[in-house]
């Protein structure tokens, strides 16, 4: 069990195992066969468990060993120890007949003198058997002359001898195994030792928390790759949507369950109505929507919301705006689907970094009796910290609202914001006669009858004639109905028109990830809504504004655009990124695009008659004419004779027509879809011809198809024979032991790396003898090799064609506003809206925005150095947010600006008619 031999001089050796500690005593064999102590080497290892000895070249090795560490890597240990034993017993001794036949050693001299010993007799027989095994099993694989770069003393060693020493010029294959496994064994030791130390020396809770807080940057998730063909989340989103529409919303509506459960308790309306803020003299509150996409963008908005105050640039002046006492979130809390992972990582994590939850918060806690107030606070009116109310969006409804109910209605904290909310819709009574109605539209873009009944009764019983109402929904029905030329939200419209009767001053929503405000044009209609506000810039990808620039009418009232962010001209310019950046932003789309192009051209491989295109005496125009003539022939062949390619083109055509938005007529959808498919088909056929021409040129110049399928393997064998000789026939024996798998595997593996040669040789055979001459395996290999090169060639082109299609549709036809901007995954242009109910009853509204979102963050030293009081709520801190932008990016706090500012007057002061 000796892993290494150290020569101490005069035949003294010491062996040390890399995983065990030994006390090893070295003895020299005396004339009588006994062992006389010569040298002692000790390693402190504790109690000794095993005792053995080896007689090796007239030296007795007696060692006592004990494991120092647990042996977890048993497989490597056994192999390593076995190799060491084989080498210790065989070494180069077995490879040198002269040394094996040596008769002048003490052992053999003793046997010749007629002084037999029973022990020595048995041992000699074992020794001779060992020699035979070493000679037959572990033959040499070469000599030192074959390995000039390796030192002899490393590989071959020097034998101890009394006279002139002779060095073997041969190497045992067991040495290679030994060296390999001892290296693995040492690596295992290092890994196990370091890991074991970490496991046996855990940090204290205080040190662990301090180390956690000292991490250098947050682990935010990237924005959702909407065009990824390999994302399991996206497939799950589609499945959840189908199930939700057909099962949850179609047959079982969670809103109905909430209403039914509320009827069980007395004071049922308390589950939906909150009036604890109504007695304040003034109130600041915020509105945001559509967060939980990219971590950088979501945290940027959460960081702005969490600050005790913001100094926002407003034209040429700076305006200080205090933090909102109330945060309203307008749905779509996490993308792409509502799951525990997306809610925790994409939604809760950025807000917890921005404003930490209280010290007693536990993320696994389920709130049974809300509101769960901090210690010492007996009623919600006494709580002075920020609060949060949320309505679900369409993405939150994809699982039937299950995750929303668990994480919003059954939890009490979103970071440092208290969540008193119990249901998915609510009514907030605010100071000075202001109300907020948070409606749950589900996936049908409307409220259900139980929800309608609650709000209509509330208007009759609680809302006064001179009160003002803000309605918050997820979808902006007014602008989407105009865009899609449809009518949705009939119950909401009925509630506003026939029950509120002019008391609805503002409707606000998210869903569209931009900011727009439309204000009514003064008219004789006193019941019109004064302002329509869309702000879905809470963290999701950007949506365009220029597509909706012509919107001017809703609910029978004329409106005009007062503000847009980003501005219309900037929005149109941003759309150009579909041509320039589609592939960079959506590289996962290559997996689908390259495969589609290969299906479109599958039946056209190979093109055998390309010589007329390469005529050297032809003009450039002649080459071009011949090329497109061949292109047309391939196209007609695909339509008239191919099966795979024609069916692929037909399926692509159906998909392209279905992909066109339904707002256009059926005739226009067909025209747009056909043009789209023709662009892809033309690009695929041109790329196919270019690739085939490349192969043809290489064949004509004798660069390919010259030596058969296994050119690379034949080259390898020639190099191997020249530089790695095998005088003992070891490779032949390995081939016999593996039943021929050894050279066959290398041969076909190398042919896989010689794809151009395989492709060219097979192409030549097909063109000469026809496709029928090819076996199924040969055809599979040929098309696989073609696919590899064609996929690499086609992926940039398919992205360019598809990106150009999106650009044309969004800027020229006003189509695909969602698809054309989700492809860009723009994290910039983020905003939220801050409201101030003043003492005179008017409400002042600021929309705050940051043009550029930081991509890298660092620990905020002011947050880290601020003195933390025990049980201190984070909203009392001067620096509540953990991360700030690093030195290479501007922090959102320093770049926030006001992009829109207006005032809505209270009804009892001035009635504004539209």
């Amino acid at each position: 069990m000796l892993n290494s031999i150290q020569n101490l001089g005069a035949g003294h050796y010491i062996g040390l195992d890399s995983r065990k500690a030994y006390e090893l005593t070295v003895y020299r064999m005396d004339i009588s066969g006994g062992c006389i102590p010569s040298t002692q080497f000790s390693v402190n290892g504790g109690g000794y468990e095993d005792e053995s000895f080896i007689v090796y070249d007239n030296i007795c090795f007696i060692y006592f060993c004990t494991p120092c560490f647990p042996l977890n890597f048993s497989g490597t240990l056994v192999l390593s120890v076995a190799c060491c034993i084989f080498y210790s017993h065989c070494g180069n001794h077995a490879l040198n007949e002269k040394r094996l036949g040596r008769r002048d050693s003490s052992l053999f001299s003793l046997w010749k003198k007629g002084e037999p010993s029973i022990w020595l007799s048995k041992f000699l027989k074992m020794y001779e058997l060992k020699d035979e095994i070493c000679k037959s099993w572990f033959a040499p694989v070469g000599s030192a002359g074959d390995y000039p770069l390796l030192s002899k003393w490393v590989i071959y060693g020097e034998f101890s001898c009394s006279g002139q020493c002779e060095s073997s010029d041969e190497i045992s294959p067991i040495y290679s195994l030994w060296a390999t496994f001892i290296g693995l064994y040492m690596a295992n030791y290092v890994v196990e030792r370091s890991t074991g130390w970490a496991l046996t020396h855990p940090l204290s809770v205080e040190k662990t928390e301090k180390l956690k807080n000292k991490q250098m940057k947050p682990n935010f998730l990237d924005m959702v790759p909407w065009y990824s063909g390999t994302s399991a989340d996206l497939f799950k989103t589609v499945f959840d949507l189908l199930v939700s529409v057909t099962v949850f919303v179609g047959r079982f509506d969670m809103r109905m369950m909430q209403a039914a459960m509320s009827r069980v308790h007395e004071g049922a309306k308390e589950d939906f109505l909150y009036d604890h803020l109504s007695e304040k003299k003034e109130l600041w509150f915020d509105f945001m929507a559509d967060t939980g996409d990219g971590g950088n963008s979501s945290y940027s908005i959460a960081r702005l919301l969490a600050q005790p105050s913001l100094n926002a640039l407003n034209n040429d002046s700076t305006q200080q705006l205090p933090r909102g006492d109330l945060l309203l979130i307008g749905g779509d809390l996490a993308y792409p689907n509502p799951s525990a992972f997306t809610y925790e990582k994409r939604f809760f994590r950025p807000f917890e970094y921005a404003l930490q939850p209280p010290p007693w918060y536990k993320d696994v806690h389920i709130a049974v009796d809300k509101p769960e107030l901090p210690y010492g606070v007996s009623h919600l009116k006494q709580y002075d910290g920020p609060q949060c109310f949320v309505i679900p969006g369409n993405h939150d409804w994809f699982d039937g609202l299950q995750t929303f109910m668990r994480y919003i209605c059954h939890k009490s904290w979103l970071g440092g914001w208290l969540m008193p909310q119990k249901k998915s819709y609510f009514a907030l009574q605010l100071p000075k006669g202001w109300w907020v109605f948070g409606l749950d539209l589900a996936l049908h873009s409307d409220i259900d009858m139980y929800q309608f009944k609650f709000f209509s009764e509330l208007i009759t019983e609680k809302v006064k004639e001179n009160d003002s109402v803000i309605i918050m929904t997820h979808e902006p029905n007014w602008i989407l109905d105009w865009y899609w030329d449809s009518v949705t939200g009939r119950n909401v419209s009925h509630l506003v028109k026939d029950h509120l009767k002019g008391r609805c001053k503002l409707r606000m929503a998210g869903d569209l990830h931009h900011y727009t405000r439309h204000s009514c044009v003064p008219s004789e209609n006193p019941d019109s809504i004064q302002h329509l506000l869309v702000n879905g810039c809470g963290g999701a990808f950007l949506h365009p504004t220029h597509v909706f620039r012509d919107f001017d009418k809703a609910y029978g009232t004329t409106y005009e655009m007062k503000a847009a962010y980003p501005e219309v001209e900037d929005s149109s310019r941003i759309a150009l990124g579909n041509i320039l950046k589609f592939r960079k932003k959506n590289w996962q789309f290559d997996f689908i695009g390259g495969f589609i192009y290969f299906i479109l051209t599958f039946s056209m491989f190979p093109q055998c008659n390309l010589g007329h295109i390469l005529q050297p005496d032809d003009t450039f125009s002649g080459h071009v004419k011949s090329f497109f003539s061949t292109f047309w022939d391939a196209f007609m062949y695909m339509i008239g004779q191919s099966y795979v390619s024609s069916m692929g083109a037909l399926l692509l055509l159906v998909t392209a027509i279905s992909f066109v938005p339904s707002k256009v007529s059926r005739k226009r959808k067909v025209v747009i879809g056909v043009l789209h498919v023709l662009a892809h088909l033309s690009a695929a056929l041109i790329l196919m011809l270019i690739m085939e021409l490349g192969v043809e040129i290489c064949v004509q110049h004798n660069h390919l198809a010259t030596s058969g399928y296994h050119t690379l393997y034949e080259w390898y064998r020639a190099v191997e024979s020249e530089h790695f000789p095998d005088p003992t026939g070891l490779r032949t024996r390995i081939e016999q032991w593996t039943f021929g798998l050894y050279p066959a595997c290398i041969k076909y593996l190398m042919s896989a790396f010689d794809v151009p040669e395989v492709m060219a040789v097979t192409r030549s055979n097909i063109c000469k003898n026809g496709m029928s001459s090819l076996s199924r395996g040969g055809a599979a290999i040929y098309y696989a090799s073609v696919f590899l090169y064609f996929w690499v060639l086609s992926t940039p082109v398919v992205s360019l064609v598809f990106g150009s299609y999106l650009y044309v549709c969004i800027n020229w036809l006003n189509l695909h506003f969602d698809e054309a901007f989700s492809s860009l995954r723009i994290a910039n242009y983020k905003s939220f809206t801050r409201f101030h109910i003043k003492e005179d009853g008017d409400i002042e509204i600021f929309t705050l925005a940051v043009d550029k979102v930081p991509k890298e963050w660092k620990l905020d030293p002011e947050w880290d150095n601020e003195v933390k009081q025990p049980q201190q709520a984070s909203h009392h801190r001067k620096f509540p947010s953990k991360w700030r932008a690093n030195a290479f990016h501007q922090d959102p706090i320093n770049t926030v600006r006001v992009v829109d500012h207006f005032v809505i007057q209270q009804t009892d002061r001035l009635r504004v008619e539209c």
Side-chain angles (χ1 to χ4, degrees):
M1 298 171 66
L2 303 177
N3 277 17
S4 60
I5 304 298
Q6 299 180 13
N7 191 344
L8 301 181
H12 299 257
Y13 293 80
I14 286 179
L16 292 177
D17 184 87
S18 61
R19 290 286 295 276
K20 291 186 177 181
Y22 304 98
E23 179 167 321
L24 177 62
T25 305
V26 182
Y27 295 82
R28 173 170 291 283
M29 181 80 67
D30 67 357
I31 191 67
S32 63
C35 291
I36 303 173
S38 175
T39 305
Q40 181 170 337
F41 184 87
S42 176
V43 177
N44 185 14
Y48 303 115
E49 300 176 357
D50 186 27
E51 177 179 351
S52 303
F53 70 89
I54 296 175
V55 178
Y56 180 80
D57 198 19
N58 298 339
I59 301 170
C60 295
F61 286 84
I62 301 176
Y63 57 91
F64 309 85
C65 63
T66 180
C68 286
F69 311 108
L71 303 178
N72 295 335
F73 300 92
S74 57
T76 304
L77 173 70
V78 171
L79 291 172
S80 179
V81 170
C83 292
C84 295
I85 293 176
F86 281 138
Y87 183 68
S88 300
H89 281 261
C90 294
N92 292 323
H93 240 111
L95 311 177
N96 194 313
E97 287 293 336
K98 180 179 180 180
R99 296 197 57 78
L100 284 175
R102 191 175 60 181
R103 292 291 183 266
D104 57 349
S105 66
S106 302
L107 178 63
F108 290 104
S109 299
L110 179 67
W111 186 250
K112 285 174 61 178
K113 291 180 180 179
E115 299 177 3
S117 169
I118 296 176
W119 181 88
L120 288 177
S121 174
K122 292 182 178 180
F123 181 80
L124 184 58
K125 291 181 179 179
M126 294 175 57
Y127 194 73
E128 292 175 347
L129 177 61
K130 178 263 297 181
D131 288 344
E132 292 298 324
I133 292 175
C134 291
K135 287 175 57 180
S136 59
W137 289 8
F138 302 103
V141 296
S143 63
D146 298 325
Y147 303 91
L149 299 180
L150 299 176
S151 303
K152 292 183 181 181
W153 67 271
V154 174
I155 300 298
Y156 308 100
E158 298 289 343
F159 291 102
S160 62
C161 53
S162 55
Q164 184 178 1
C165 294
E166 297 181 7
S167 297
S168 172
D169 199 30
E170 298 174 328
I171 179 174
S172 171
I174 198 62
Y175 183 87
S176 300
L177 292 174
W178 173 79
T180 301
F181 286 111
I182 197 60
L184 293 175
Y185 185 60
M186 294 174 64
N188 285 339
Y189 169 76
V190 173
V191 173
E192 180 194 6
R193 179 57 177 161
S194 59
T195 306
W197 188 90
L199 293 176
T200 55
H201 295 77
L203 296 176
S204 63
V205 177
E206 294 78 8
K207 290 184 177 180
T208 302
E209 185 64 24
K210 186 175 181 181
L211 183 62
K212 180 180 178 182
N213 291 336
K214 288 292 185 180
Q215 60 179 316
M216 299 306 297
K217 60 181 180 179
N219 48 346
F220 290 142
L221 298 179
D222 292 331
M223 303 193 77
V224 176
W226 295 100
Y227 285 86
S228 172
T230 59
S231 175
D233 276 342
L234 297 183
F235 290 110
K236 181 180 183 301
T237 302
V238 175
F239 176 78
D240 288 345
L241 177 60
L242 295 175
V243 172
S244 297
V245 171
T246 56
V247 177
F248 289 108
V249 180
R251 295 175 175 83
F252 175 77
D253 195 329
M254 181 60 71
R255 298 173 299 181
M256 184 186 303
M257 176 65 72
Q258 295 177 88
M261 292 301 295
S262 295
R263 290 178 178 274
V264 177
H265 307 284
E266 294 183 1
K269 291 184 180 178
E270 294 300 322
D271 283 348
F272 301 101
L273 174 61
Y274 300 86
D275 58 0
H276 59 284
L277 300 172
S278 60
E279 298 178 2
K280 290 180 174 290
K281 293 183 179 180
E282 62 175 349
L283 181 71
W284 289 85
F285 66 96
D286 300 323
F287 169 75
M288 63 167 293
D290 300 276
T291 184
D293 188 356
N296 295 323
S297 54
S298 298
Y299 177 72
S300 296
I301 293 298
R303 175 168 166 79
L304 293 174
L305 294 169
Q307 299 308 304
S309 64
L310 292 175
N311 294 317
L313 183 64
N314 189 1
N315 295 325
D316 295 331
S317 61
T318 300
Q319 191 160 6
Q320 188 177 41
L321 305 175
R323 177 173 52 209
D325 300 311
L326 174 66
L327 171 61
L328 303 175
I329 302 181
D332 278 355
L333 307 184
Y335 293 87
N337 56 67
S339 65
F341 177 83
T342 56
Y343 264 57
E344 290 172 359
K345 304 299 183 182
R346 294 187 180 275
F347 179 51
F348 276 83
R349 176 178 291 174
F351 280 84
E352 290 174 354
Y353 281 150
L355 191 67
Q356 287 77 50
W360 60 86
Y361 168 76
K362 295 181 180 179
D363 57 355
V364 297
H365 174 69
I366 297 177
V368 178
D369 188 16
K370 297 178 72 172
E372 294 183 332
L373 300 172
Y375 179 78
V377 180
S378 59
H379 196 273
L380 192 56
K381 289 183 179 181
Q382 300 176 355
Y383 181 68
D384 63 347
Q387 303 170 37
C388 179
F389 286 81
V390 187
I391 59 172
N394 58 306
H395 283 266
D396 303 306
W397 266 96
F398 284 174
D399 67 343
L401 212 64
Q402 297 301 314
T403 308
F404 181 91
M405 297 296 294
R406 174 185 173 188
Y407 279 89
I408 302 300
C409 299
H410 295 154
K411 283 188 177 293
S412 292
W413 296 94
L414 172 62
W417 285 269
L418 176 67
M419 293 191 297
Q421 177 180 347
K422 300 178 182 179
K423 307 297 180 183
S424 65
Y425 55 92
F426 55 85
L428 288 169
Q429 186 176 2
L430 304 181
K432 308 302 179 180
W434 283 93
W435 295 76
V436 172
F437 290 175
L439 309 183
D440 180 4
L441 304 183
L443 293 174
H444 288 336
S445 303
D446 205 356
I447 58 176
D448 62 312
M449 295 308 299
Y450 295 97
Q451 194 174 173
F452 180 88
K453 185 175 184 294
F454 164 73
F455 284 108
S456 61
E457 291 178 353
L458 180 66
I459 293 171
T460 303
E461 299 173 5
K462 298 282 187 178
V463 180
K464 300 176 181 179
E465 286 295 326
N466 292 325
D467 285 355
S468 299
V469 178
I470 299 172
I471 290 185
M472 179 176 70
T473 58
H474 169 61
E475 288 186 349
N477 304 82
W478 57 92
I479 198 168
L480 291 177
D481 286 350
W482 167 85
Y483 179 81
W484 296 110
D485 193 20
S486 62
V487 178
T488 60
R490 295 180 184 273
N491 292 338
V492 178
S493 300
H494 179 41
L495 184 72
V496 172
K497 182 178 181 180
D498 299 330
H499 290 266
L500 286 175
K501 298 178 180 179
R503 284 173 286 182
C504 181
K505 303 299 182 184
L506 171 68
R507 283 198 63 179
M508 59 184 185
D511 193 49
L512 296 178
H513 309 158
H514 61 226
Y515 174 78
T516 57
R517 176 173 65 91
H518 293 83
S519 299
C520 64
V521 177
S523 65
E524 298 298 326
N525 186 359
D527 296 333
S528 297
I529 304 170
Q530 293 182 21
H531 302 279
L532 304 174
L533 185 149
V534 179
N535 193 348
C537 300
F541 64 88
L542 182 68
H543 270 143
T545 56
H546 67 278
V547 174
F548 308 98
R549 59 179 175 268
D550 295 329
F551 166 75
D552 60 355
K553 203 172 190 64
Y555 312 120
T557 304
T558 302
Y559 289 86
E560 60 180 354
M561 182 183 285
K562 294 295 185 179
Y565 180 78
E567 295 182 358
V568 172
E569 294 78 10
D570 293 336
S571 175
S572 179
R573 175 181 50 82
I574 292 171
L576 185 63
N578 278 289
I579 298 178
L580 305 177
K581 301 178 181 179
F582 182 88
R583 193 186 185 210
K584 179 181 178 182
K585 296 285 187 177
N586 306 278
W587 57 268
Q588 300 95 329
F589 185 72
D590 288 353
F591 293 99
I592 297 178
F595 180 76
I596 291 175
Y597 270 34
F598 179 70
I599 293 297
L600 292 177
T601 58
F602 176 84
S603 300
M604 273 71 75
F605 284 104
Q607 292 289 314
C608 297
N609 301 319
L610 298 178
H612 63 286
I613 302 179
L614 303 174
Q615 291 295 333
D617 55 348
D618 202 352
T619 61
F620 176 78
S621 60
H623 289 305
V624 173
K625 184 177 179 180
S626 299
F627 180 87
F628 282 102
S629 175
T630 307
F631 167 85
W632 179 254
D633 293 339
F635 177 75
M636 295 306 296
Y637 175 84
M638 184 202 71
I639 295 177
Q641 301 184 45
S642 69
Y643 294 99
V644 176
S645 297
S646 58
M647 287 301 299
L650 182 61
L651 291 175
L652 183 62
L653 179 61
V654 173
T655 304
I657 294 175
S658 304
F659 185 63
V660 179
S662 59
K663 66 171 296 183
V664 301
S665 64
R666 185 177 301 177
K667 183 178 179 180
R668 291 188 64 191
K669 287 186 64 173
V670 172
V671 172
I672 294 173
V674 169
L675 292 176
H676 187 193
V677 171
L678 285 177
H680 283 295
L681 186 57
S682 300
L685 291 176
I686 290 174
L687 290 174
M688 181 271 299
L689 289 177
I690 291 176
M691 180 174 167
E692 287 288 278
L693 283 172
V695 176
E696 181 69 21
I697 292 174
C698 291
V699 171
Q700 291 184 5
H701 289 80
N702 295 324
H703 295 307
L704 290 176
T706 58
S707 304
Y709 290 107
H710 303 292
T711 305
L712 188 61
Y713 176 72
E714 292 173 1
W715 171 85
Y716 160 75
R717 291 304 296 265
V719 173
E720 182 185 49
S721 300
E722 180 180 356
H723 297 284
F724 301 95
D726 184 19
T728 61
L730 177 63
R731 282 193 288 270
T732 303
R733 278 179 283 174
I734 294 176
E735 182 177 352
Q736 295 173 351
W737 294 342
T738 59
F739 302 101
L741 292 177
Y742 158 66
C745 290
I746 296 178
K747 182 177 183 179
Y748 288 101
L749 181 63
M750 287 191 168
S751 67
F753 288 95
D754 197 15
V755 175
E757 185 70 18
V758 173
M759 183 170 55
V761 172
T762 309
R763 177 179 179 274
S764 300
N765 292 338
I766 295 174
C767 292
K768 183 183 297 183
N769 303 316
M771 184 65 71
S772 59
S773 63
L774 211 61
S775 64
R776 287 186 178 182
I781 293 174
Y782 170 69
Y783 283 112
S785 60
V786 169
F787 173 75
L788 290 176
Y789 275 77
F790 188 74
W791 184 86
V792 174
L793 187 65
S794 62
T795 47
V797 178
V798 65
S799 297
L800 177 63
V801 173
F802 188 72
S804 301
Y805 164 78
L806 292 178
Y807 171 75
V808 170
C809 288
I810 190 66
N811 270 15
W812 296 1
L813 306 176
N814 285 343
L815 301 175
H816 293 301
F817 74 87
D818 197 20
E819 296 84 356
F821 269 65
S822 63
S823 62
L824 299 177
R825 301 164 64 189
I826 297 174
N828 298 324
Y829 301 102
K830 295 293 164 276
S831 69
F832 69 96
T833 301
R834 179 156 291 180
F835 298 79
H836 179 209
I837 300 178
K838 300 190 292 186
E839 294 185 9
D840 60 5
D842 293 347
I843 185 168
E844 190 174 14
I845 303 172
F846 305 86
T847 296
L848 307 175
V850 287
D851 297 334
K852 194 170 183 60
V853 168
K855 296 181 180 179
E856 296 181 3
W857 306 86
K858 66 177 182 180
L859 187 68
D860 190 345
E862 295 176 322
W863 175 89
D864 191 37
N865 297 328
E866 184 178 0
V867 178
K868 304 175 181 65
Q869 302 295 334
Q871 302 300 313
Q872 180 189 25
S874 57
H875 66 270
H876 288 145
R877 298 186 60 178
K878 183 179 180 181
F879 304 100
S881 299
K882 183 175 181 179
W883 308 106
R884 63 174 302 168
N886 67 8
F888 301 100
H889 301 271
Q890 289 186 317
D891 196 279
I893 294 177
N894 302 324
T895 61
V896 62
R897 63 188 181 96
V898 178
V899 295
D900 190 23
H901 176 213
F902 64 102
V903 177
I904 303 177
Q905 294 180 335
Q906 179 58 283
T907 303
D908 59 357
R909 295 184 64 241
L910 178 64
R911 187 176 184 87
V912 179
E913 296 183 354
C914 292

